[in-house]
Structures are given as C-alpha cells and as structure tokens.
C-alpha cells in the first residue's frame, strides 16, 4: 500500500514574460520516507518543481499556474508559504542567505519563536543535536565554515519538524569532506527520523551512493522516476540529459561488466570477480621538465586578514610567497575558510595586502586602482549574479572591450557568446538565467577582458556535468589567449582533468605545491586539505595501481584480464 507525501497532478507553470512553460503537465508521486535525487540539465525545471512543494510557486513566484500540488494532504494553492514551511523544509542553493540571525542558536530558534511554539527551546536543542552542531550554538554565523553554515541552515528548517526536506545542490559550495558530511547527515535524518529527503543534484557519485530513487527532469517534465540502481543502469540516457555515469559505473562498462556499482569498493569487487587487475604501465608517467617561464603574478611575504567585531585582525593569508608563471594551469584547493578566495582577490588587485606585496606582470597592485588592473587580471566571482550590471548578457560581455574602445568588440562578443552557448540568451538579463547559464555568462565576461591572468572562483559549482565539461574544455583552450589561469575549486574532477599545478592552502598558508597525481597519492595531504579524490583515483588505489589514474581512460589503459570471468 502506497503512502504518498507529495502528489503532483497535471501541473504546468509559466513565469511572467516567459515565452513557454517552465513546467509542463507534470504528474508525480513521492512516497513518504523516500530519498529522492532530482536530476537533469540546467534549465530543466528541477528547482521550479521543488518550489511548488513549499508554495513559493505560485504564492511568491507568481505566474500562470495550472494543476495541483498536494503535500501531506495540503493543497499548496489553498495553503500559505508560512503554513507549508511546517511540512516542507527548504535549504536553498545559496544557503548563506538563509542565515538572518547573529548566532547559531538564534538562527535555529528563529522559526519556532516566530510561529509562537511554546517548546521553541526544545525544538532548537533537538535540531542542533540532530545535525551535530550543538557545540556551535553560541558561535556567530559569520564565523562558520561553509559546511558548518550548511548544517545551520538544515537545522533551522528541522526545528519546525517538517515531514519533507528539500536541499538544492547540497554540495555546490562545500569542500569534498563537508559535502559527504552533509549527505551522511541527510541519510541519518531519512533513516532514523523517517523524513522524506529530496535533493537537486548534478553529481552522479552522490546520487549513486546516497539516493534511493532518481527523478530525471527534461524540458519541464519528468522523463522517469526509478529506483537508484535501475536509474544508474540507464547511464546512456542520463548522459544525454547532462548527467554522465559515475566514474565507477563508466569504468565497469568499459571493461565489459554490465553490473552497476554504487561505490568504489563494490566496483573493485566486481573487477576482481571478473579477473581484471592492474598491470604494470608500459612506461612511467614523468613530470614535465620545468623551464624558465615568465612570471605573470607574484606574492611576496603577503599577509592579509579582516577585522572582527572585537576589533582584532583575524588573519586569512599568512606570510605567503608564490609565483604564477606563463602557461600555468593552477588550482587553489583546501577546505572552506582556507584562504582561497581571499588570495585570488589579492592577486586581482581587488584588495591590497595588509603587509607584503603583490605584482601583476611586474607592477605592484598598490600602484593602480582595481579597475585599471582588470586589463591584467580578471576575477570572476563565486556567486555569478554579482557580475551582471547591465540589462542583458550581451551588454555585460561587451562592457569592458567597449569601454576600452576596442574596434573588434562586436566580433569578440559574438565569438565568445557562441563558444559558451549563450547566443540565443544574449538579450536576456543575466540575473534571470539558470545557475549553470549564469556561470557560462560570467566566463564570457572574463574572456572578453582578455587579461594575462584569469582568476575563477568555483567556476563549475552548480553546473550540470555537460556544462562543467564545457567549462573544462574552454579553460583548456585558453592557453592561446590567457597567459595564466587560476581556479579556486572543490571540484576534484576539474583538478584531475585540467590543472597542471595544485596549490593546497590550509589556514592561509601553502601546505603543498605539486601536480594533481602527486596530490592524490598523498593521504596525509588529502586529509589536511579536506579533499576526496575522484572515484577513478580511489578505484585505482583500491586495486593497487601505480601511478594512480586521473581519468577513466587512464584507468582503462592500465587494466588487463587475467583469466576467465566468474
């Protein structure tokens, strides 16, 4: 006997001014106690669908609404957003903006107090305990790491004791360890408290490891809703919708194994059972010979920090020396709060260090305003909406070359918009685009500036895998246009596939400067940097491969069948 907690019937919705429906004739049932991953390409309607569950659509985001959404026997059309928040807790992709009170305890208790619950103190303590942050109760929210802040946002909705929790892109802004921590927390809430968990997710490895069912969205409507293992078996269909298979599933498929693995250990067991093992590489993989190359940017004894409410300077970067060379493809990595973003902003000249000096192509960043330094270093923000200043994407992309009176502005803009697949959306306001489309638009803005040094803060966060691969390809192609590219990222796939040099930060200091393969082989360094390697690296380590593979293609090249398959 079924027990639906959410029923969607003949639902269609169109935003004001939109040319077509964002949701089209959606029919869907989600069972109570499920753990559902909603997947699909950017713009497929995932977030809009979830906003119908808590009434934001149509009560806050108005538009043409047809059909019905019933949540725990409440018709969302006839209910209010406030009342539905007791039933559906929503943790947004930009969860930092959900935190409105000064301390963690104040934040978590905010909802119960405002709704007048007499047991608000009990609810607050219960929610803090449920997500494992009771020890942070008196901490100011601005002192928290990204992972801690995400748990506070989760606790704040738990305090209302909802039956359903929706989490939009749980891992988008978190370091890899924090990302797994959040999913472990959601799994505990699902299994031990019976809360229905719905995540909007692009990362197939998290879907494989944690979800119990998968809902594939495309063009505003469900394609199918299947148990997780059955969904993963449709890897080709998922790939067509921008969700390539997890690396372990891809690796098994390339070796002719039809079974689906939901994790690294399971995949390794299947390979061993099929008599497949690592062989010695034909030739060692050697690090490239270091050559004398032009220094594009340099930090000399740089220290920087910010003033706390007590008036003291809290150090973020500590006595740091670093040279970035022409041809470098650099990844800044490290846990939330390690200093990655601050260091990038210092290199761009947006901030000047409290002590020490930074040089761009030999010129001290203290000598010019940030606007003039943009000709040498372009910084693309982690939150793309900050990059949109004009009424359309085209206007934003052409803003810099037009202000410099570049005679080739029209040709430059047209070529870049085509490359990032935004020509058809060029006349849209960038703030109205989906998260993935916004990321591509900010990359276009940076490319149009044609700087020596391009700095990108989390360039693949919130992108579907197809868009992420596009960004990776575009970054690879920049070698002829950009002298040096630097990313700050938690995306270990991007590090493995793109970076030539990885700089690990911890507490504002450099703890490693090495190639990706060396990074992933160092367990102590991975732990210190709060990193989880890509699945294919973990699988190679499980099978004793040396050197470790960085891609599935490398993994496949170093496997051999030793006998008849079981």
């Amino acid at each position: 006997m079924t027990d639906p907690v959410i029923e969607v019937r003949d639902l269609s919705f169109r935003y004001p001014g939109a040319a077509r429906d964002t949701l089209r004739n959606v029919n869907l049932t989600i069972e109570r106690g499920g753990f559902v991953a909603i997947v699909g390409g950017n713009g497929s309607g995932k977030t809009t669908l979830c906003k119908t569950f808590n009434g934001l659509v149509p009560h806050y985001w108005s538009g043409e609404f047809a059909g019905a959404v019933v949540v725990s026997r409440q018709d969302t059309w006839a209910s209010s957003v406030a009342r539905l928040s007791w039933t559906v807790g929503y943790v947004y992709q930009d969860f930092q903006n959900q935190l409105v009170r000064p301390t963690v305890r104040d934040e978590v208790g905010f909802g119960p107090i405002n709704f007048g619950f007499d047991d608000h103190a009990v609810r607050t303590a219960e929610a803090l305990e449920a997500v494992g942050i009771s020890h942070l109760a008196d901490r100011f929210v601005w002192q928290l790491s990204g992972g801690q802040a995400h748990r506070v946002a989760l606790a704040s909705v738990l305090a209302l004791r909802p039956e359903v929790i929706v989490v939009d892109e749980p891992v988008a802004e978190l370091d890899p360890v924090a990302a797994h921590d959040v999913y472990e927390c959601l799994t505990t809430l699902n299994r031990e408290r019976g809360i229905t968990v719905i995540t909007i997710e692009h990362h197939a490895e998290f879907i494989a490891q944690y979800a119990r069912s998968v809902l594939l969205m495309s063009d505003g409507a469900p394609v199918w809703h299947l148990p997780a293992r059955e969904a993963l078996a449709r890897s080709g269909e998922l790939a067509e919708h921008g969700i390539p298979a997890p690396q372990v599933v891809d690796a098994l498929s390339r070796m002719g194994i039809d079974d689906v693995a939901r994790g690294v250990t399971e995949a390794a067991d299947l390979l061993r059972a099929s008599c497949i093992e690592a062989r010695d590489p034909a030739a060692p993989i050697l690090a490239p010979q270091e050559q004398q190359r032009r220094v594009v940017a340099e930090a000399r004894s740089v220290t920087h920090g910010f003033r706390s409410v007590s008036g003291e300077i809290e150090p973020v970067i500590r006595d740091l020396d670093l040279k970035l060379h022409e041809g470098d493809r650099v990844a800044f990595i490290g846990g939330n709060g390690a200093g990655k973003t601050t260091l990038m902003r210092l290199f761009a000249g947006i901030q000047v260090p409290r002590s020490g000096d930074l040089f761009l192509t030999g010129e001290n960043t203290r000598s010019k305003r940030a606007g003039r330094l943009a000709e040498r270093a372009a910084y693309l923000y982690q939150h793309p909406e900050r990059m949109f200043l004009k009424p359309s994407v085209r206007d934003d992309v052409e803003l810099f070359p037009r202000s410099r009176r570049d005679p080739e502005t029209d040709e430059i803009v047209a070529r870049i918009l085509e490359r990032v697949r935004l020509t058809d959306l060029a006349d849209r306001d960038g703030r109205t685009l989906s998260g993935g489309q916004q990321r591509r638009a900010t990359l276009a803005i940076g490319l149009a500036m044609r700087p020596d040094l391009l700095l990108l803060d989390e360039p693949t966060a919130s992108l579907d895998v197809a868009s992420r691969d596009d960004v990776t390809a575009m970054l690879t192609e920049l070698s002829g246009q950009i002298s040096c590219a630097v990313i700050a990222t938690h995306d270990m796939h991007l590090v493995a596939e793109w970076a030539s040099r990885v700089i690990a930060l911890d507490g504002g200091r450099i703890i490693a400067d090495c190639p990706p393969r060396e990074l992933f082989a160092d367990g102590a360094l991975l732990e210190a940097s709060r990193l989880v390697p890509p699945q294919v690296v973990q699988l190679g380590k499980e099978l004793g491969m040396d050197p470790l593979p960085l891609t599935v293609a490398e993994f496949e090249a170093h496997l051999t069948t030793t006998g008849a398959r079981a």
Side-chain angles (χ1 to χ4, degrees):
M1 182 176 178
T2 62
D3 182 18
V5 69
I6 296 176
E7 295 178 278
V8 181
R9 298 191 290 267
D10 301 321
L11 171 66
S12 294
F13 180 74
R14 180 178 299 190
Y15 288 102
R20 61 200 305 271
D21 291 347
T22 299
L23 298 174
R24 301 181 300 103
N25 301 318
V26 177
N27 286 280
L28 173 67
T29 298
I30 295 177
E31 297 294 326
R32 192 178 303 276
F35 195 129
V36 184
I38 300 181
V39 304
N42 292 119
S44 61
K46 305 183 298 295
T47 297
T48 300
L49 174 64
C50 287
K51 286 178 179 176
T52 69
F53 300 160
N54 70 344
L56 284 178
V57 172
H59 297 301
Y60 182 78
W61 296 103
S62 60
E64 299 178 27
F65 184 96
V69 179
V70 178
V71 180
S72 194
R73 302 179 185 84
Q74 300 174 74
D75 188 322
T76 61
W77 178 270
S79 187
S80 66
V81 174
R83 181 62 186 85
L84 286 166
S85 68
W86 301 6
T87 305
V88 181
Y90 204 120
V91 180
Y92 296 91
Q93 182 176 328
D94 52 350
F95 58 87
Q96 300 276 9
N97 291 335
Q98 283 184 254
L99 309 182
V100 297
R101 303 294 297 154
T103 71
V104 170
R105 191 190 311 277
D106 292 339
E107 178 62 39
V108 177
F110 183 70
I113 290 172
N114 275 274
F115 280 117
F117 293 127
D118 293 336
D119 61 345
H120 61 83
V122 174
R123 287 170 176 258
T124 300
E126 180 184 85
L128 289 168
E129 179 67 26
V131 300
I133 56 171
S134 298
H135 63 292
L136 299 176
D138 297 317
R139 190 82 61 88
F140 288 109
V141 295
W142 55 264
Q143 294 177 303
L144 303 175
S145 69
Q148 291 169 337
H150 200 284
R151 286 188 178 230
V152 172
L154 181 57
S156 70
V157 302
L158 276 178
L160 294 175
R161 295 175 180 167
E163 299 174 49
V164 179
I165 293 176
V166 179
V167 190
D168 193 345
E169 293 284 354
V171 307
E173 296 187 17
L174 303 183
D175 65 59
V177 171
H180 281 279
D181 285 348
V182 166
Y183 262 102
E184 291 291 346
C185 183
L186 291 172
T187 299
T188 299
L189 294 171
N190 175 250
R191 291 176 178 171
E192 297 183 3
R193 296 173 177 247
I195 295 174
T196 304
V197 174
I198 300 170
T199 65
I200 301 173
E201 188 56 85
H202 288 138
H203 297 78
E205 60 269 28
F206 287 100
I207 297 165
Q209 188 171 348
Y210 295 102
R212 282 197 265 153
S213 67
V214 180
L215 171 66
L216 174 62
M217 292 286 292
S218 178
D219 197 25
V223 179
W224 40 251
H225 183 196
L226 297 170
R229 192 172 291 275
E230 187 176 341
L232 291 168
R234 300 191 177 197
S235 57
E237 190 173 359
L238 285 170
E240 291 174 1
H241 292 275
I243 310 293
Q247 287 185 325
V248 292
V249 174
D250 187 15
L252 291 175
S253 176
R254 291 188 185 214
M255 299 309 298
I257 299 174
D258 294 331
D259 290 344
V260 171
R262 298 189 64 176
V264 171
T265 301
E266 188 178 346
D269 289 343
L270 287 169
L271 286 164
R272 293 189 188 102
S274 297
C275 299
I276 295 173
E277 63 181 31
R279 64 169 178 262
D280 291 334
I285 299 174
L286 302 175
Q289 290 290 321
E290 183 64 28
Q291 299 176 349
Q292 286 295 111
R293 293 173 293 151
R294 178 172 67 94
V295 175
V296 175
E298 181 179 3
R300 297 179 188 170
S301 303
V302 168
T303 294
H304 193 64
F306 302 98
R307 196 173 299 280
S308 69
V309 291
S310 65
E312 298 177 351
I313 300 297
E314 296 284 346
V316 179
I317 301 296
R318 305 168 190 261
D319 196 27
L320 183 141
D321 293 291
L322 179 63
K323 290 181 180 180
L324 303 178
H325 300 92
E326 187 173 19
D328 276 349
R329 295 184 295 185
V330 182
F332 288 167
I333 63 168
N336 294 105
K340 303 184 298 295
T341 294
T342 299
L343 184 56
M344 296 185 84
R345 291 170 65 85
L346 288 168
F347 268 119
I350 297 171
Q351 296 167 347
V352 294
R354 291 188 178 272
S355 66
D357 293 288
L358 273 145
F359 298 87
L360 285 173
T361 57
E363 185 165 21
N364 197 313
T365 59
R366 298 179 187 276
S367 65
K368 283 189 176 182
R369 296 192 308 273
R372 300 306 305 179
L373 290 171
E375 296 175 345
R376 304 185 183 195
Y379 171 73
L380 306 188
Y381 287 83
Q382 179 175 350
H383 300 286
E385 61 273 10
R386 297 184 183 181
M387 301 288 293
F388 303 124
L389 306 175
K390 296 293 183 177
S392 73
V393 172
R394 189 189 310 277
D395 291 339
D396 281 315
V397 175
E398 71 178 22
L399 178 60
F400 187 88
R402 188 77 70 193
S403 69
R404 297 303 192 266
R405 295 183 172 85
D406 191 323
E408 298 180 357
T409 294
D410 290 340
E411 292 80 2
I412 292 169
V413 171
R415 184 172 64 253
I416 291 172
L417 288 172
E418 179 67 24
R419 183 66 189 88
V420 300
R421 296 189 292 114
L422 286 177
T423 301
D424 292 341
L425 299 173
D427 296 320
R428 286 266 302 272
D429 188 320
R431 288 156 290 203
T432 68
L433 301 178
S434 71
Q437 291 164 345
Q438 287 185 344
R439 295 283 177 184
R440 301 206 308 272
T442 60
L443 184 57
I445 293 169
L447 291 176
M449 296 166 75
R450 295 189 290 181
D452 277 330
L453 178 64
L454 181 64
L455 303 141
L456 304 98
D457 202 347
E458 291 288 354
T460 59
S462 308
L463 294 184
D464 59 37
V465 178
S467 297
R468 189 198 72 192
D469 289 345
D470 279 351
V471 169
T472 304
M474 283 186 279
L475 288 172
T476 301
E477 293 170 7
L478 289 181
S479 56
Q481 303 176 45
I482 306 296
S483 296
C484 177
V486 180
I487 60 171
T489 187
H490 296 311
D491 184 347
M492 293 299 103
H493 293 273
L494 179 57
V495 171
E497 295 168 10
W498 174 78
S500 61
R501 182 181 176 193
V502 184
I503 295 171
L505 296 168
D506 183 36
R509 292 188 171 93
I510 295 174
I511 60 173
D513 184 349
C514 60
R517 207 181 307 275
E518 184 177 326
L519 165 76
F520 294 135
D522 189 333
L525 178 56
L526 291 173
E527 183 176 355
S529 304
R530 295 181 59 79
L531 300 179
V532 177
Q535 280 189 329
V536 70
V537 177
Q538 297 178 57
L539 187 55
K541 188 174 294 187
E542 184 87 9
L543 295 174
M545 297 177 69
D546 183 20
L548 292 173
L550 296 181
T551 65
V552 176
E554 285 187 8
F555 179 84
E556 180 185 15
H558 293 98
L559 287 184
T560 185
T561 303
T562 61
R565 289 183 181 172

